[in-house]
Amino acid sequence: MAEPHTQEEHFDVLTKTGEKTGFSKPRGDVHRDGDYHRAVHMWIFAESTQELLLQLRADCKDSWPGLWDISSAGHISAGDSSLETARRELQEELGVILPNDAFELIFIFLHETITNGGQFINNEFEDVYLVTTLDPIPLEAFTLQESEVSAVKYIHYLEYKNLLANEDPEYVPYDVNAQQYGQLFDIIARRYKVDNVARSLTLQKQLQRYASVSLNVEELRKIYSDSLKKFIPYVDRLVGLTDADKGALDLLIKAAAIMDEIFYLQVWYSNPYLRDWLEKHAAASQLDKLKWAYYLINKTPWSCLDENEAYLTTADSAIKLLSEATRPVNGWKGLEYKAAFPSQKPPGANFYPPDMDKMEFIRWKDSLTEDQQNVVAGFFSVIRRHSESSSDLSIGSSGLGSINRLEGSTYNLYNVPFSQEYNSFLSEAAELLHKAGDITSSPSLQRLLHSKADAFLSNDYYESDIAWMELDSKLDVTIGPYETYEDTLFGYKATFEAFIGIRDDKGTAQVKFFGDNLQVLEQNLPMDNAYKSKDVSAAPIRVVQLLYNAGDVKGPQTVAFNLPNDERIVKDRGTSMVMLKNVSEAKFKHILQPIADVCITNEQREFVDFDSFFTHTIFHECCHGIGPHTITLPNGKKSTVRLELQELHSALEEAKADIVGLWALRFLTLQGLLPGASLKSVYATFLAGCFRSVRFGLSEAHGKGQALQFNWLYEKEAFVLNPDETFSVNFDKVEDAVESLSREILTIQARGDKESAKLLLQKYGVMSEPLNLALHNLERIQVPVDIAPEFPIAKEILGKKQFGI
């Protein structure tokens, strides 16, 4: 650990939870006063020999001189970040130069000690990083900092653990208790003492939760191919499309596939390397085949249906070679390391620096002008550090020199628009969209494609989103950055996605009525009239047969979406909805009906039907467009629900759309506007749907929002658990319970009341005992949790490689 410089080093003062306070103090004052601060510990681990690298502390050190210690360590100076400090200390002490993706943050340990008769108080958050190399680095490759390090050596991790446990006097002491520094040894042991047979069985069970479904389209004909001697789905036999649109479809699916490339990068900066590595080695063994198959569903190393628990580790990741990371050694090709990713899914994904905390961003944002604040908290940009090279963070970046920086002079953060961060991908996608726009026969589709292509390069999506809302084409296209679910730090940043389909004209005509009644619903919402909007626009609804989706479509598949999310457009023009009918049909057949057979009492099972499921889905999407969006805070300031509720917004908004959708169905039925609708079917189908959605996990916005609704309605006795472990709806109490929850959520949103949102989700957004019972019964008979769609047409256009075949 480096000694302080001649001018005393300053540390950032932290809160007791580890966030920056905005103040810094000299090192001596920090230890005198017991202020919380931060340091980094770096361990270099050789995978082939299972050895850790240790350094011998120089004899001149003022603490633990001449003892064996961590590979490298150091305090984080004021204004510096954790990751850049880790890289710098490793370079200064050992002469090892590594990029960001070599460092895996494995845990954070709070070290609280008092020594020197109470004169030295050390309250230190220690960010513990693991660097995994394939083989030991030759000792002669290191360049040791003589004032810090006398020597280095490798030692087997279990031998080292035993030496620490026995308090060997030649080693700096660490508590190897599992709750403290023992985590290091436990992580390595779990990672490399795995039973591959058991792991394969686990992955098989995880895969079985998805029902593989081929999403064909009603208009799709199969033709006999004399050359292939079999029936094949082929794009030129899509009835209803003009020849020009058939040609455009080919280009659109290729553009949509590029959204996958961007999304992989948005999730985590080493994710594309992991994907390529898993694909390359998928045929090596049955376990490798299963890893790749499950990765194709999740698109990340974290399992969507398991609260984002990692099903892969850095040991499974890509091997990268650095020929100039250290001093050259004859006969040694260079340092080979594993591209790292954390076991816990990063809340900020790859939108923010991996070691940035919320307070750092907030203080920087508050230092900017109001216009700049809107940009950095907007949908279409990422946040980076001046002190880090873009090449360490982004494959798609065009480099620091061309980035339009938006910064506060004393801060280490700056803003990068998507159009520059993902320039290489977006330029290719824009070219494809322009080509498709040139040949399509639909004027509105032509307008959408050209404006979206322009938006990809300008970063201004307003006009293209208006064009999307006004789309009137047999070929239906949604492409661009929209949803913010991946940004669980703030809920600000949008991920790229694409949905390509064919409009179902009959279904679209049938649902037009729902969108036309949004103003009526707004004026009758169960909340104070002061919060209601008087200019809600009718919401166009398009029913679509999905041909292909890409980008942020991992894990559980959406059955509908309501866009755009840009509050400016929602305020000016409202929203538009797309219903994916063939996806809804597949989910009802393969999932919801079997759930009802297990979880709904026999007397009410007959009420569960597809029409109620699909109709409530429509109302869910409609109700995203009503209720509070742009709001006035108690202090008179204008804001939005998204900005005020931050990371809580997505879950609460999904709950609102669901429960208010249920309220709206009853309201219109009682007004005589939904002839033939059965409220009993609506409520019973909704109850079955609760068990479907919570199986997505509570880390997912829809799952958490659904848990909130179920537990509220269960507490109000609107849902009843029967002695035979089935559930039923209390039709006498459900209407009041639905209205009371609708009022609660709408009022929280209207007030921008984050504290109340937090309390509501903490109390009700949990996996309660009744929910656990239902999920256990579904697990027992292995009802699928969701579908894994296959896209025959896209497979023909893109080829098998795009689909991991």
Side-chain angles (χ1 to χ4, degrees):
M1 188 178 293
E3 299 289 354
H5 304 295
T6 304
Q7 182 177 358
E8 189 170 11
E9 187 177 15
H10 279 60
F11 297 159
D12 285 315
V13 176
L14 308 180
T15 67
K16 289 185 177 181
T17 56
E19 292 187 318
K20 292 179 180 178
T21 62
F23 301 100
S24 66
K25 292 169 65 173
R27 174 183 179 136
D29 293 354
V30 165
H31 287 302
R32 179 197 66 200
D33 300 335
D35 294 310
Y36 287 86
H37 58 287
R38 192 174 294 277
V40 291
H41 290 185
M42 288 74 67
W43 294 92
I44 296 179
F45 176 73
E47 194 174 65
S48 62
T49 61
Q50 302 282 284
E51 292 177 316
L52 288 165
L53 180 77
L54 302 185
Q55 65 161 265
L56 185 64
R57 296 171 67 83
D59 290 335
C60 61
K61 298 285 289 184
D62 61 359
S63 61
W64 313 110
L67 299 187
W68 291 101
D69 197 6
I70 300 166
S71 305
S72 180
H75 281 107
I76 301 176
S77 299
D80 288 348
S81 72
S82 173
L83 193 52
E84 69 180 310
T85 301
R87 295 175 62 189
R88 183 180 62 244
E89 291 292 336
L90 205 58
Q91 180 178 358
E92 289 179 354
E93 294 186 356
L94 303 181
V96 179
I97 304 172
L98 293 174
N100 284 355
D101 69 354
F103 294 82
E104 177 186 358
L105 180 63
I106 53 175
F107 61 89
I108 299 172
F109 173 55
L110 177 56
H111 191 194
E112 297 174 299
T113 58
I114 301 176
T115 56
N116 296 342
Q119 299 301 306
F120 188 90
I121 306 171
N122 189 35
N123 291 323
E124 185 173 273
F125 285 93
E126 294 166 350
D127 293 350
V128 182
Y129 290 94
L130 187 67
V131 173
T132 302
T133 63
L134 206 59
D135 298 305
I137 302 169
L139 299 185
E140 58 268 35
F142 294 103
T143 302
L144 305 183
Q145 187 178 14
E146 292 182 1
S147 62
E148 301 286 333
V149 185
S150 298
V152 292
K153 71 174 182 179
Y154 276 99
I155 183 172
H156 195 280
Y157 81 96
L158 291 177
E159 181 183 353
Y160 179 50
K161 180 182 181 181
N162 186 57
L163 290 168
L164 293 178
N166 292 323
E167 299 180 359
D168 190 293
E170 295 185 8
Y171 295 81
V172 174
Y174 291 98
D175 188 343
V176 294
N177 182 288
Q179 297 302 314
Q180 298 188 35
Y181 226 105
Q183 294 177 79
L184 169 68
F185 305 100
D186 292 342
I187 288 169
I188 294 174
R190 286 196 304 270
R191 189 167 291 183
Y192 293 100
K193 289 188 176 180
V194 65
D195 181 341
N196 285 340
V197 174
R199 192 175 179 197
S200 293
L201 289 173
T202 298
L203 283 169
Q204 285 176 344
K205 289 180 180 178
Q206 290 174 312
L207 280 163
Q208 287 168 358
R209 294 178 297 182
Y210 291 90
S212 181
V213 176
S214 179
L215 286 184
N216 290 308
V217 179
E218 290 176 5
E219 289 89 344
L220 178 65
R221 293 177 178 175
K222 291 186 175 180
I223 62 168
Y224 188 78
S225 169
D226 290 330
S227 60
L228 297 178
K229 300 297 182 184
K230 64 179 181 179
F231 285 94
I232 59 170
Y234 190 66
V235 65
D236 284 343
R237 294 301 185 265
L238 289 172
V239 173
L241 293 186
T242 65
D243 289 341
D245 282 351
K246 292 170 187 174
L249 177 60
D250 183 280
L251 296 166
L252 290 172
I253 287 179
K254 290 175 180 176
I258 296 173
M259 301 303 104
D260 260 343
E261 300 301 316
I262 300 175
F263 178 68
Y264 283 123
L265 186 56
Q266 289 185 299
V267 172
W268 185 245
Y269 53 78
S270 65
N271 193 36
Y273 293 113
L274 174 64
R275 173 203 60 195
D276 293 345
W277 181 265
L278 292 173
E279 180 182 16
K280 181 180 178 181
H281 294 84
S285 69
Q286 177 65 13
L287 176 59
D288 289 305
K289 180 180 179 181
L290 292 169
K291 289 179 194 174
W292 175 234
Y294 200 50
Y295 181 88
L296 284 173
I297 289 174
N298 291 280
K299 297 189 175 184
T300 76
W302 304 287
S303 176
C304 297
L305 294 181
D306 297 294
E307 307 294 334
N308 286 319
E309 179 182 344
Y311 61 94
L312 300 172
T313 72
T314 296
D316 300 306
S317 193
I319 297 172
K320 299 177 72 175
L321 172 65
L322 293 176
S323 58
E324 299 180 352
T326 66
R327 175 189 295 169
V329 175
N330 285 337
W332 184 55
K333 62 182 178 180
L335 190 154
E336 290 181 291
Y337 72 94
K338 291 292 187 73
F341 55 86
S343 59
Q344 293 188 342
K345 190 173 186 290
N350 192 23
F351 297 122
Y352 309 91
D355 51 3
M356 186 200 80
D357 64 43
K358 295 186 72 170
M359 287 305 301
E360 180 182 4
F361 178 86
I362 290 170
R363 288 198 314 276
W364 170 61
K365 175 174 170 283
D366 289 346
S367 75
L368 303 174
T369 67
E370 183 175 349
D371 287 344
Q372 289 175 331
Q373 288 183 25
N374 291 334
V375 171
V376 303
F379 293 105
F380 312 125
S381 67
V382 298
I383 308 300
R384 298 289 179 242
R385 290 197 188 281
H386 294 296
S387 53
E388 293 178 343
S389 167
S390 65
S391 62
D392 288 335
L393 291 170
S394 171
I395 296 170
S397 175
S398 58
L400 289 177
S402 62
I403 287 173
N404 177 23
R405 296 185 179 183
L406 207 169
E407 56 191 287
S409 59
T410 61
Y411 292 91
N412 192 18
L413 301 175
Y414 66 94
N415 186 79
V416 187
F418 281 175
S419 56
Q420 295 192 38
E421 180 74 1
Y422 311 120
N423 180 262
S424 61
F425 297 122
L426 291 175
S427 295
E428 183 181 356
E431 183 179 355
L432 289 166
L433 292 187
H434 276 310
K435 288 180 179 179
D438 288 341
I439 64 175
T440 180
S441 58
S442 165
S444 66
L445 181 58
Q446 183 181 65
R447 176 191 170 204
L448 168 63
L449 297 180
H450 286 309
S451 62
K452 188 66 71 174
D454 292 341
F456 281 169
L457 302 182
S458 70
N459 220 54
D460 183 353
Y461 286 87
Y462 190 93
E463 291 301 324
S464 68
D465 282 342
I466 296 295
W468 177 82
M469 294 180 67
E470 296 175 350
L471 181 62
D472 181 15
S473 168
K474 186 69 174 177
L475 188 55
D476 200 275
V477 179
T478 301
I479 187 168
Y482 286 108
E483 304 292 4
T484 61
Y485 301 127
E486 286 298 308
D487 179 6
T488 59
L489 195 64
F490 289 107
Y492 291 163
K493 304 303 178 183
T495 49
F496 282 82
E497 62 187 15
F499 296 85
I500 311 297
I502 295 179
R503 187 178 64 195
D504 183 324
D505 291 326
K506 179 180 178 182
T508 298
Q510 289 173 336
V511 301
K512 182 178 183 299
F513 159 81
F514 301 124
D516 292 342
N517 279 274
L518 288 191
Q519 185 63 62
V520 174
L521 293 173
E522 175 77 22
Q523 294 311 308
N524 287 278
L525 284 174
M527 66 175 179
D528 193 297
N529 287 333
Y531 300 138
K532 296 175 182 177
S533 174
K534 294 180 173 56
D535 54 359
V536 173
S537 302
I541 305 176
R542 308 195 295 265
V543 178
V544 169
Q545 302 282 347
L546 183 65
L547 294 176
Y548 180 55
N549 65 15
D552 189 3
V553 291
K554 63 184 177 66
Q557 297 293 297
T558 187
V559 295
F561 46 88
N562 182 293
L563 298 171
N565 290 320
D566 188 331
E567 292 91 352
R568 300 172 303 165
I569 298 176
V570 174
K571 181 181 178 181
D572 295 344
R573 300 289 298 271
T575 60
S576 184
M577 282 156 271
V578 172
M579 319 298 300
L580 306 176
K581 190 170 185 181
N582 53 347
V583 177
S584 295
E585 290 168 338
K587 290 204 178 198
F588 184 83
K589 175 183 177 181
H590 293 279
I591 300 162
L592 196 64
Q593 192 66 67
I595 285 176
D597 292 341
V598 174
C599 293
I600 305 301
T601 186
N602 187 57
E603 292 76 16
Q604 294 186 5
R605 206 169 293 158
E606 64 180 351
F607 294 136
V608 178
D609 60 26
F610 174 74
D611 286 343
S612 296
F613 173 61
F614 192 60
T615 301
H616 179 257
T617 302
I618 295 171
F619 272 77
H620 170 104
E621 298 304 329
C622 284
C623 289
H624 277 306
I626 60 175
H629 289 90
T630 300
I631 59 176
T632 303
L633 301 176
N635 62 8
K637 179 183 177 182
K638 293 287 185 182
S639 186
T640 67
V641 178
R642 179 179 65 89
L643 289 176
E644 295 306 313
L645 299 191
Q646 296 181 347
E647 75 278 6
L648 306 180
H649 172 255
S650 291
L652 203 66
E653 175 62 23
E654 292 305 326
K656 180 213 73 175
D658 247 1
I659 202 69
V660 174
L662 209 55
W663 168 87
L665 267 167
R666 173 178 177 267
F667 175 82
L668 292 180
T669 299
L670 295 181
Q671 297 296 311
L673 298 175
L674 290 177
S678 166
L679 287 177
K680 287 186 175 181
S681 290
V682 167
Y683 291 131
T685 304
F686 178 81
L687 173 56
C690 287
F691 304 124
R692 181 184 72 88
S693 295
V694 294
R695 298 174 83 202
F696 300 159
L698 300 193
S699 63
E700 197 270 345
H702 298 81
K704 196 171 192 68
Q706 194 73 73
L708 159 61
Q709 295 169 82
F710 174 89
N711 289 323
W712 178 286
L713 297 179
Y714 184 81
E715 180 183 84
K716 305 298 182 186
E717 299 179 351
F719 292 160
V720 178
L721 174 60
N722 301 305
D724 63 354
E725 298 186 350
T726 63
F727 292 81
S728 56
V729 180
N730 183 334
F731 295 117
D732 294 329
K733 295 187 176 183
V734 68
E735 293 173 355
D736 288 343
V738 166
E739 184 164 322
S740 66
L741 180 56
S742 297
R743 181 177 293 106
E744 181 78 12
I745 295 176
L746 289 167
T747 303
I748 288 172
Q749 290 185 322
R751 294 174 177 170
D753 189 349
K754 186 177 181 181
E755 184 60 29
S756 293
K758 180 180 179 181
L759 293 173
L760 185 68
L761 287 166
Q762 282 179 343
K763 181 176 180 180
Y764 294 102
V766 297
M767 197 62 73
S768 60
E769 186 176 339
L771 283 175
N772 275 319
L773 175 64
L775 298 195
H776 173 74
N777 289 335
L778 292 172
E779 176 77 15
R780 183 166 42 83
I781 65 168
Q782 297 185 343
V783 175
V785 177
D786 209 74
I787 63 170
E790 297 177 359
F791 302 105
I793 295 172
K795 190 181 295 186
E796 290 289 327
I797 293 172
L798 298 174
K800 293 182 178 181
K801 186 178 185 299
Q802 188 74 29
F803 294 85
I805 299 174

